[in-house]
Amino acid sequence: MATPAASRELLVSMFRTAVAAAHPAQCLPTHLPEPPARSRLIVLAAGKAAGSMTEVAEAHYLARLSPAQLSGIAVTRHGYGRPSRHIAMVEAGHPVPDEAGLNGTERALALAQAAGEDDLVLVLLSGGASANWIAPAAGITLAEKQAVTRALLRSGAAIGDMNTLRKHLSRIKGGRLARLAYPAHVATLAISDVPGDDPSVIGSGPTVPDPTTLEDARAIMRRFRLALPAAVAQALDNAANETPKPGDQAFARSTYRIVARPADALKAAQTRALAAGYECVVLGDRLQGEAREVAAEHARLARQLSAAGRPTVILSGGELTVTLRGQGRGGPNQEYSLALAIHVAGAPGISALAADSDGTDGGGGRPDDPAGAFVDPTTLSRAKTGGLDPAAFLADNDSTGFFNAIGDLFIPGPTFTNVTDFRAIVVDRPSA
């Protein structure tokens, strides 16, 4: 049976392999379109991979274009910026938008609006763009949009529901960027961070038709009993805030391609696990649900495989949610890890890592926030020695506090990409 230290080394190796498969340096270059021969290339990037996507694209195009032909702006999360020579780089708030994001988005909108018919607007999109590109609809302030974001984060709403609401309160989301840039050519290259890889959900779909409606947004507000500012409720009753739908002329000169998917990252991790001599059970890249409930299911599977004596790695992706009931700190991956530890109950040979592929999980928006946490057969015994009650920490949604106290937080720093959550459970054959 592998030691906890050896299992942890494998877990980190699988995480880094998965992230590398979805890094723009690996996945972007072959998809970059031909630049215009004489007109302009305008690069507009947003999300946690915006800095690295821009870095790769700029290096590619500056070798072929004059500086006068290339312009643009990238808006990314604080701490996720990358060096750029010609395209402006802005670091902004996530998950709660801030003034820097507002100003950067206004500059992006101005560049899109100024694009001519022969220009190419290259949109580099990744998870986090919904917070980084913040352009409130008429009558809504930044503070009110921030209140919407905080209410959604507390509610436990899935990413699709969150983006449906946000798209109808924005001047850039839900296809509006493509409408503003028309009749310029618009080419979108996206790194997917959502279950199912739906372009209308990735970054709130700024360059694709929106199948959701204002009524859908109002229904989400009612279902999650969101207490939103009066101006937001009024905006959701305003027909002018409906998004462009399929068939709208705004998309007549627009193309869209996904260059990296959660499935790509899981496939890379699976290859690494097989090379290490393990069987693999891949539960898919589209898992959704309450983190603690999914963890309970995965713990049962891990214990079954352990009882069967099958050295196996269980892999899964997707975006789990947390409905906040307590006052603690954490994110879906840390909460999953804490619940998993409780349900595995120190069973020998079972270790795990759950971490966000972007390098941060929940937290306060700092680049050095934890990405997730480790679990091993000693987790609960070490907690007991330290006088910690795991169930009490879970009830308070304080997974960060729990894993920080026992030294099991995973803090890799920004990865400069984002393909949803990474979860791996290593099940070794118990010793005789």
Side-chain angles (χ1 to χ4, degrees):
M1 180 174 67
T3 65
S7 294
R8 183 168 300 196
E9 183 178 343
L10 175 60
L11 289 163
V12 172
S13 174
M14 287 189 291
F15 174 84
R16 298 200 185 284
T17 299
V19 165
H23 192 280
Q26 174 71 24
C27 66
L28 184 61
T30 59
H31 297 287
L32 290 169
E34 284 294 311
R38 295 180 181 82
S39 52
R40 295 182 300 157
L41 173 65
I42 302 167
V43 177
L44 304 178
K48 298 170 191 173
S52 52
M53 293 179 86
T54 298
E55 182 181 26
V56 170
E58 185 187 68
H60 177 85
Y61 288 118
L62 277 180
R64 309 175 65 184
L65 296 174
S66 69
Q69 286 181 276
L70 181 63
S71 62
I73 185 169
V75 184
T76 191
R77 181 175 179 162
H78 287 297
Y80 285 66
R82 296 295 298 160
S84 61
R85 291 179 286 166
H86 198 67
I87 298 170
M89 188 72 59
V90 174
E91 295 188 2
H94 183 282
V96 179
D98 62 9
E99 193 75 32
L102 181 67
N103 294 335
T105 306
E106 292 296 343
R107 292 168 64 183
L109 290 172
L111 285 167
Q113 189 166 28
E117 184 174 359
D118 295 326
D119 293 334
L120 172 61
V121 177
L122 176 61
V123 178
L124 303 175
L125 197 63
S126 57
S130 294
N132 293 152
W133 266 349
I134 178 71
I140 300 175
T141 66
L142 173 60
E144 288 165 336
K145 281 298 288 284
Q146 290 171 327
V148 171
T149 300
R150 292 188 179 100
L152 286 167
L153 290 171
R154 288 192 299 269
S155 72
I159 187 65
D161 289 334
M162 293 177 68
N163 286 357
T164 293
L165 189 58
R166 293 192 285 199
K167 282 186 284 191
H168 290 89
L169 300 171
S170 172
R171 290 178 289 116
I172 193 169
K173 299 175 175 67
R176 291 188 178 90
L177 179 60
R179 174 183 279 175
L180 192 64
Y182 183 83
H185 295 270
V186 175
T188 303
L189 299 179
I191 294 177
S192 172
D193 72 321
V194 301
D197 307 321
D198 184 348
S200 71
V201 178
I202 300 169
S204 296
T207 59
V208 295
D210 178 31
T212 70
T213 65
L214 279 165
E215 176 52 37
D216 292 331
R218 291 191 292 265
I220 289 166
M221 185 174 69
R222 293 191 296 269
R223 187 186 347 145
F224 291 99
R225 299 178 182 178
L226 300 175
L228 301 179
V232 170
Q234 291 169 9
L236 294 177
D237 285 328
N238 185 346
N241 288 325
E242 189 55 273
T243 47
K245 305 303 177 194
D248 194 296
Q249 186 181 26
F251 309 108
R253 305 188 77 195
S254 182
T255 61
Y256 194 103
R257 180 175 295 175
I258 297 175
V259 301
R261 295 171 167 81
D264 301 327
L266 280 188
K267 181 66 176 177
Q270 179 182 9
T271 299
R272 175 70 186 88
L274 292 171
Y278 288 83
E279 297 181 41
C280 265
V281 174
V282 181
L283 301 178
D285 61 283
R286 304 183 181 189
L287 272 63
Q288 299 185 71
E290 278 286 326
R292 61 180 67 188
E293 295 172 6
V294 174
E297 296 172 7
H298 291 186
R300 285 193 290 272
L301 175 59
R303 293 178 70 100
Q304 290 168 5
L305 292 169
S306 177
R310 292 172 53 190
T312 306
V313 171
I314 304 168
L315 292 169
S316 64
E319 289 214 347
L320 306 183
T321 54
V322 172
T323 302
L324 289 177
R325 302 175 178 88
Q327 303 299 314
R329 296 178 300 124
N333 290 290
Q334 295 165 80
E335 178 138 329
Y336 168 95
S337 295
L338 179 52
L340 185 76
I342 292 170
H343 288 285
V344 169
I350 299 177
S351 298
L353 170 62
D356 198 311
S357 61
D358 65 22
T360 55
D361 175 52
R366 292 167 49 94
D368 59 353
D369 284 331
F374 294 100
V375 174
D376 67 36
T378 71
T379 298
L380 295 190
S381 60
R382 287 185 286 120
K384 184 177 180 180
T385 299
L388 307 177
D389 179 356
F393 278 87
L394 185 62
D396 195 34
N397 298 117
D398 193 16
S399 50
T400 298
F402 176 83
F403 286 110
N404 183 57
I406 63 173
D408 278 350
L409 289 173
F410 179 51
I411 309 177
T415 64
F416 306 104
T417 191
N418 183 26
V419 281
T420 71
D421 298 335
F422 168 89
R423 290 178 296 274
I425 304 173
V426 175
V427 181
D428 274 304
R429 185 178 290 109
S431 353

